[in-house]
């Protein structure tokens, strides 16, 4: 007997009733602002997988694997058919809402009906407003977007696919929150911004960028000693929780804080960082067809970088696999060569580091007058985290095209993942590189 999905309601037309679906918190469906109670764990999982895939169709086999995690019963397909049939009957406009595609199903909602879509679109709008220099409008829109969150995304749903999606969304929110803090500097009293950051740190104590923003904000407002104390607090948290030290970025902040505390400099350090990272100059525009290409690679990760290895676009799988490479200042080389997480993720890390240094060296030989490349090369070559054996023996390569390597991603799978990288240069967009990761047995789509 199929599980009861939704408490019995009278089917209503989609045009006469307002349907709102919420995933940024406990999954919830509202009809005319009234919650529609969802019943049955399997039905909830089917519905939420369809919603996460929206507006794309999800093949039946992938839906089965996602819902049951590879341990599906013989009746899995029949259960899904019955669940979809009942959803169509019980949801307003259900037959138009859930359609049958060749070999799968699709949920189609207006963008404003799904909070996840509203969030995604708002974040894109915020980046465009920042690039255009309209920081006030960006702050207003980002504040409204953050208010969409009612708790952890997909709260109450177990299983690896939901966990992966929740991790990626969590990182997205933290990236947005960091941007909000920077924008809020010119919009709210400093005490309000500091209080907001402290509340967030209490909930996410391992998020280094929040600590960095707090320390810079305190220093910028004449409180360098308090900022230094926060660095000590962070160092204790990281040592106790992860057994690591603060990242090179935080160490650099600490050194500048010491100079301020000793009266050797009075230069503010947050506002300059805010201006530099909030609206990066010459951010390349990503054509729609490239974005569609990346979406088509799912569930494999794919991303777009510029000639300085800044990650300028990524698909959802990339965000799930590499939550460290998000935000407006995400840079592949900086992460791979200086971030402690890279040593855990990249199998044979020293080999990777030598390759990345070689790529930077070759790019610099080809473009010796490029100031940004010179700065990146100098900063990374002098990083304390690089062993001498790596720094002195870079591998001379242009790209990672066709490279085979192993990734350790315990938040995705307990087993090491073998991948092959494919590098594409889009015609007419020579400043971009499209990077696709596949298994050795699977060609890029």
């Amino acid at each position: 007997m199929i599980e009861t999905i939704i408490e019995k309601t009278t089917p209503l037309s989609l045009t006469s009733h307002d349907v709102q679906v919420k995933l940024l918190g406990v999954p919830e469906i509202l009809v005319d602002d009234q919650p529609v109670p969802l019943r049955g764990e399997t039905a909830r999982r089917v519905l939420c997988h369809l919603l996460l895939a929206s507006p794309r169709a999800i093949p039946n086999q992938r839906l089965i694997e996602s819902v049951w995690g590879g341990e599906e019963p013989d009746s899995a397909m029949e259960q899904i058919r019955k669940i979809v049939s009942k959803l169509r009957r019980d949801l307003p406009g259900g037959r138009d809402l859930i359609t049958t595609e060749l070999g799968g199903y699709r949920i189609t909602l207006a963008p404003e009906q799904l909070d996840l879509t509203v969030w995604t679109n708002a974040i894109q709008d915020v980046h465009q407003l920042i690039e255009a220099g309209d920081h006030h409008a960006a702050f207003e829109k980002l504040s409204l977007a953050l208010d969409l969150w009612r708790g952890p995304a997909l709260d109450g749903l177990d299983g690896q696919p939901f966990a992966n999606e929740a991790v990626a969304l969590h990182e997205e929110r933290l990236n947005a929150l960091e941007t909000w803090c920077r924008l809020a500097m010119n919009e709210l009293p400093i005490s309000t911004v500091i209080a907001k950051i402290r509340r967030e740190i209490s909930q996410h104590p391992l998020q280094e960028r929040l600590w960095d923003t707090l320390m810079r904000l305190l220093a910028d407002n004449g409180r360098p000693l308090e900022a230094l104390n926060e660095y000590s607090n962070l160092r204790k948290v990281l040592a106790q929780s992860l057994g690591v030290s603060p990242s090179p970025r935080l160490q650099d902040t600490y050194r500048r804080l010491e100079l301020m505390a000793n009266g050797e400099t009075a230069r503010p350090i947050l506002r300059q960082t805010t201006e530099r990272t909030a609206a990066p100059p010459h951010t390349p525009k990503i054509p729609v067809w490239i974005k569609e290409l990346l979406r088509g690679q799912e569930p494999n990760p794919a991303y777009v970088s510029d000639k300085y290895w800044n990650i300028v676009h990524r698909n959802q799988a990339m965000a799930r696999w590499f939550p460290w490479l998000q935000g407006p200042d995400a840079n592949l080389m900086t992460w791979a060569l200086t971030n402690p997480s890279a040593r855990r993720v990249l199998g044979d890390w020293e080999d990777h580091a030598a390759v990345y240094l070689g790529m930077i060296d070759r790019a610099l030989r080809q473009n010796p007058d490029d100031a940004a490349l010179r700065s990146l090369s100098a900063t990374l070559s002098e990083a304390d985290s690089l062993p001498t054996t790596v720094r002195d023996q870079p591998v001379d390569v242009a790209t990672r095209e066709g490279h085979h390597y192993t990734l350790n991603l315990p938040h995705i799978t307990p087993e090491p993942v073998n991948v092959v990288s494919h590098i594409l240069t889009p015609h007419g967009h020579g400043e971009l590189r499209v990077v696709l990761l596949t298994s050795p047995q699977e060609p890029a789509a």
Side-chain angles (χ1 to χ4, degrees):
M1 183 67 179
I2 194 70
E3 301 159 288
T4 300
I5 302 171
I6 299 178
E7 289 187 353
K8 190 62 179 177
T9 59
T10 303
L12 302 167
S13 70
L14 190 63
T15 56
S16 60
H17 292 267
D18 177 39
V19 177
Q20 295 291 323
V21 182
K22 300 180 181 295
L23 298 179
L24 302 179
V26 176
E28 184 177 45
I29 297 178
L30 301 177
V31 176
D32 296 334
D33 293 327
Q34 297 301 312
V36 178
L38 300 179
R39 297 289 182 86
E41 180 62 22
T42 302
R44 283 163 52 85
R45 297 172 72 83
V46 169
L47 178 60
C48 288
H49 277 299
L50 289 171
L51 289 168
L52 288 172
S54 179
R56 301 184 304 278
I58 181 169
N60 289 329
Q61 188 55 43
R62 186 183 300 176
L63 184 57
I64 289 172
E65 292 173 356
S66 298
V67 170
W68 281 281
E71 299 180 358
E72 66 272 9
D74 293 339
S75 61
M77 194 64 246
E78 182 62 24
Q79 288 193 45
I80 285 178
R81 289 194 188 99
K82 290 182 178 180
I83 288 170
V84 170
S85 178
K86 187 160 180 58
L87 283 169
R88 284 170 169 165
R89 291 196 305 270
D90 291 345
L91 286 174
R95 296 195 179 278
D96 295 326
L97 195 68
I98 307 175
T99 57
T100 302
E101 304 289 328
L102 182 61
Y105 294 98
R106 181 197 307 269
I107 281 188
T108 304
L109 291 165
E112 67 274 9
Q113 288 182 298
L114 179 61
D115 65 350
L116 181 55
T117 304
V118 176
W119 164 259
T120 301
N121 291 342
I123 296 304
Q124 293 175 351
D125 291 344
V126 166
H127 288 316
Q128 292 174 0
L129 288 167
I130 290 175
E131 290 172 10
D134 194 346
H135 289 190
H136 174 73
F139 170 77
E140 294 289 340
K141 181 169 280 289
L142 188 52
S143 296
L144 293 174
L146 287 168
D147 287 343
L148 293 169
W149 289 75
R150 300 168 292 115
L154 306 171
D155 197 11
L157 288 172
D158 298 325
Q160 196 63 51
F162 291 124
N164 295 342
E165 193 69 34
V167 167
L169 289 169
H170 171 72
E171 290 293 329
E172 272 188 24
R173 180 182 178 275
L174 291 181
N175 290 332
L177 183 63
E178 181 186 10
T179 301
W180 180 91
C181 290
R182 292 170 173 170
L183 293 171
M185 286 281 293
N186 297 317
E187 302 289 340
L188 299 173
I190 296 302
S191 58
T192 301
V193 183
I194 290 175
K196 172 75 170 177
I197 299 172
R198 289 192 189 280
R199 286 195 298 271
E200 291 293 335
I201 287 176
S202 69
Q203 297 176 35
H204 311 289
L206 300 180
Q207 185 63 33
E208 287 194 28
R209 286 176 308 199
L210 290 174
W211 290 88
D212 187 54
T213 302
L214 175 60
M215 290 187 289
R216 293 172 183 267
L217 180 58
L218 290 168
D220 200 28
N221 287 274
R223 298 155 68 177
L225 292 177
E226 190 174 345
L228 286 170
N229 185 60
E230 294 297 345
Y231 181 86
S232 298
N233 293 335
L234 168 63
R235 187 164 52 188
K236 293 176 184 176
V237 169
L238 292 177
Q240 293 172 359
S241 301
L242 302 176
V244 299
S245 300
S247 66
R249 174 177 174 176
L250 267 294
Q251 293 175 27
D252 178 66
T253 299
Y254 175 74
R255 286 190 288 268
R256 287 199 268 172
L257 288 172
E258 283 192 313
L259 292 175
M260 292 185 67
N262 294 330
E264 297 180 39
T265 178
R267 185 176 61 184
I269 59 176
L270 176 64
R271 295 185 188 276
Q272 291 178 349
T273 303
T274 302
E275 292 165 3
R276 183 175 69 250
T277 60
H282 311 301
T283 300
K285 183 175 179 60
I286 311 301
V288 173
W289 70 266
I290 293 182
K291 295 180 180 180
E292 290 296 332
L293 172 65
L294 264 61
R295 277 197 288 269
Q297 294 300 307
E298 296 278 0
N300 293 331
Y303 66 91
V304 181
S305 69
D306 63 14
K307 63 180 179 180
Y308 303 113
W309 298 281
N310 295 308
I311 308 298
V312 295
H313 192 71
R314 63 189 64 73
N315 65 5
Q316 291 185 0
M318 183 68 186
R320 290 191 295 270
W321 284 38
F322 299 92
W324 313 274
L325 279 171
Q326 297 196 64
D329 56 352
N331 182 278
L332 174 65
M333 296 301 183
T334 302
W335 173 75
L337 296 173
T338 67
N339 195 302
S341 64
R343 295 186 180 228
R344 299 190 297 270
V345 171
L346 300 173
D348 299 318
W349 173 81
E350 290 194 3
D351 292 342
H352 285 274
V355 168
Y356 287 133
L357 283 177
M359 290 168 63
I360 296 173
D361 285 352
R362 174 177 284 211
L364 193 56
R365 290 198 305 272
Q366 295 173 345
N367 303 275
D369 297 326
D370 192 315
L373 270 178
R374 290 203 307 271
S375 175
L376 179 66
S377 176
T379 299
L380 296 180
S381 296
E382 297 170 3
D384 294 337
S385 58
L386 289 178
T388 303
T389 53
V390 172
R391 190 182 294 112
D392 295 343
Q393 297 181 352
V395 178
D396 186 16
V397 296
T399 72
R400 303 221 63 176
E401 168 60 33
H403 285 205
H404 291 237
Y405 47 92
T406 300
L407 301 173
N408 301 305
L409 303 165
H411 61 289
I412 299 294
T413 175
E415 300 298 327
V417 180
N418 296 316
V419 298
V420 182
S421 59
H422 308 269
I423 316 297
L424 309 176
T425 302
H427 179 68
H429 299 275
E431 78 281 9
L432 299 179
R433 296 292 181 270
V434 178
V435 182
L436 316 175
L437 300 183
T438 68
S439 71
Q441 296 79 30
E442 177 187 10

